[in-house]
Amino acid sequence: MVGIKRILVLGYFGYRTNQLDGQTVKTRNVYQLLVGNNEKVDFYDTQEFHYKKFSIFKMFAKVCCCSILIYLPAHNNLRYVFPWLFILSKLFRVKICYFVVGGWLREFLSNKPLHRWMLKRIDGIFSETCQMKSELEQQYGMFNMGVFPNFRFFDFSPKQQHDEGKLHLVFMARVNKMKGLDMIFCLGDYLRAVDLDSKIDISFYGPVNDSDKEYFWKNLNKYSFMRYYGELQPELMYQTLQNYDAMLLPTHYFTEGLPGSIVDAYISGIPVIVTRWKHATEFVDDGETGFIVPFENGQEELNQKVKILFDFPEILNAMKIKAKNRSYDFSAQHAKILMRNITK
């Protein structure tokens, strides 16, 4: 049929191992969004490179046959594969729309003039944050920028509840030191010191980094009020998170984009406590949908914010309502409108 756009989504889907993290969840969600809006959508999972080296030629063949390439690369893909995709896009008149995952692109491009030159000449780069868009425009002259926030498919109404006299905290992300495990374990020491270890508990969900397993289990086993529950499957996400009072994400990644964990917390109707990473104020309304503590030396403030939520349930309940209201900024309905404009 004349006029049908052939769209290819190229990124790390993680289907082989069912890997679930910010990269794979966003890539799968973008694909699902497009399938609902277009007649002809295909995908290529770059995880295949780890199993079949020659499958790269299959990827190139798919790129040559599409009219729009929806591109969601991680670091190595952008470094090594993108130049070839750029050449193919010019030879075969393929429109490249690059959807940035995370907040690392500006720093990545600082010593890569060739990549900057090529990226300026693709059809669009869509960052998760307004700040990144502004920085890339001002620093590198990339005026093909747009903003496409992280999003989720959901139709969920959390039950507003609070277990009086208790506070249930949750960490839900990739379990590694850089996500702030050290601050959570120091919080555990504080809770013991002020005799709140029987009234506040902390649950962990997410895949554990191999390099951090020993550190994580050694420290987790010190605290009877902390437990690890494994990886949380997407279909159980919101009904599980709604049972908690607040999410902890004291990240040490300064260049985080929009952590998907925060979106999941809002949809589930719970506020967040985060460190002031680069884009924190774009996504967390301090004192409204959560608390932002200093990126450096923020431990004492983190401890105090947790105690505030325990001591003042009226503050916690108000924050839960505001967190849920904020979730609509990250809905698939909003994302569909943006995507139609991008792929038209």
Side-chain angles (χ1 to χ4, degrees):
M1 183 183 296
V2 178
I4 292 179
K5 295 184 290 289
R6 299 181 306 279
I7 298 176
L8 176 68
V9 181
L10 194 159
Y12 201 94
F13 286 79
Y15 284 141
R16 278 259 187 176
T17 57
N18 195 30
Q19 181 173 322
L20 295 173
D21 55 30
Q23 182 84 30
T24 59
V25 169
K26 180 169 180 176
T27 304
R28 295 181 193 188
N29 281 347
V30 166
Y31 176 67
Q32 184 181 345
L33 189 73
L34 285 160
V35 167
N37 282 349
N38 297 276
E39 296 92 340
K40 187 68 174 177
V41 184
D42 196 5
F43 75 92
Y44 181 83
D45 185 353
T46 57
Q47 191 181 49
E48 288 299 308
F49 293 162
H50 300 300
Y51 298 92
K52 299 177 182 178
K53 299 298 182 186
F54 290 107
S55 70
I56 193 170
F57 296 109
K58 178 181 178 181
M59 179 196 73
F60 286 147
K62 288 192 173 193
V63 171
C64 295
C65 293
C66 75
S67 51
I68 301 175
L69 176 64
I70 303 296
Y71 185 46
L72 297 98
H75 294 70
N76 285 337
N77 192 289
L78 185 59
R79 179 181 290 111
Y80 300 116
V81 178
F82 172 67
W84 297 101
L85 298 178
F86 179 78
I87 293 170
L88 291 176
S89 75
K90 298 307 177 184
L91 291 174
F92 293 92
R93 297 182 180 179
V94 176
K95 177 180 178 180
I96 299 181
C97 298
Y98 171 18
F99 288 76
V100 182
V101 181
W104 48 268
L105 184 59
R106 182 179 68 85
E107 290 77 9
F108 176 88
L109 294 174
S110 63
N111 61 349
K112 295 179 175 60
L114 179 60
H115 281 73
R116 296 198 299 266
W117 183 88
M118 290 185 291
L119 285 171
K120 288 180 188 179
R121 288 159 175 81
I122 66 174
D123 289 86
I125 304 171
F126 302 94
S127 67
E128 295 179 346
T129 70
C130 295
Q131 183 174 344
M132 178 186 284
K133 175 180 181 292
S134 177
E135 288 175 349
L136 291 173
E137 288 173 343
Q138 293 174 16
Q139 187 167 346
Y140 301 135
M142 291 182 175
F143 297 112
N144 54 345
M145 294 293 303
V147 177
F148 192 91
N150 216 333
F151 70 96
R152 293 286 189 269
F153 293 89
F154 63 91
D155 180 14
F156 183 75
S157 297
K159 53 186 179 184
Q160 293 295 330
Q161 64 174 27
H162 174 61
D163 186 2
E164 292 293 338
K166 291 275 190 177
L167 188 70
H168 305 292
L169 304 176
V170 62
F171 171 97
M172 198 278 297
R174 178 168 290 279
V175 181
N176 70 44
K177 291 180 182 178
M178 288 297 291
K179 288 291 187 180
L181 296 182
D182 57 330
M183 294 185 73
I184 297 176
F185 292 135
C186 286
L187 171 63
D189 293 334
Y190 167 77
L191 296 178
R192 274 182 176 165
V194 295
D195 295 323
L196 287 176
D197 50 324
S198 63
K199 297 176 180 179
I200 300 178
D201 56 64
I202 304 172
S203 300
F204 292 84
Y205 294 90
V208 182
N209 266 25
D210 288 339
S211 59
D212 296 322
K213 282 182 178 178
E214 182 178 354
Y215 169 83
F216 176 62
W217 287 110
K218 179 181 177 181
N219 283 279
L220 184 74
N221 290 331
K222 295 178 182 177
Y223 307 97
S224 60
F225 52 95
M226 295 188 187
R227 291 194 64 183
Y228 173 65
Y229 289 96
E231 296 184 42
L232 188 53
Q233 295 303 310
E235 63 272 14
L236 300 175
M237 186 78 67
Y238 310 133
Q239 66 188 65
T240 301
L241 292 180
Q242 71 174 345
N243 297 316
Y244 293 92
D245 294 306
M247 178 177 288
L248 301 172
L249 192 67
T251 181
H252 296 310
Y253 286 111
F254 185 67
T255 58
E256 291 259 20
L258 167 57
S261 300
I262 291 178
V263 179
D264 293 325
Y266 288 167
I267 295 169
S268 305
I270 63 174
V272 297
I273 303 178
V274 302
T275 44
R276 189 178 292 274
W277 88 94
K278 183 177 180 179
H279 305 292
T281 55
E282 282 194 49
F283 306 114
V284 181
D285 305 314
D286 192 24
E288 302 289 329
T289 64
F291 288 123
I292 302 175
V293 305
F295 190 79
E296 300 287 348
N297 303 314
Q299 186 67 56
E300 183 176 352
E301 193 164 335
L302 173 70
N303 298 344
Q304 293 306 313
K305 296 305 185 186
V306 168
K307 193 165 190 306
I308 286 172
L309 294 183
F310 176 77
D311 288 339
F312 302 99
E314 65 277 12
I315 292 178
L316 174 60
N317 290 329
M319 293 179 80
K320 285 187 173 187
I321 293 170
K322 291 173 183 176
K324 177 58 184 174
N325 290 341
R326 188 73 199 273
S327 70
Y328 293 102
D329 294 341
F330 311 107
S331 66
Q333 289 83 356
H334 182 219
K336 282 181 181 179
I337 297 171
L338 298 175
M339 186 64 80
R340 286 195 195 103
N341 291 330
I342 292 168
T343 59
K344 66 182 179 182

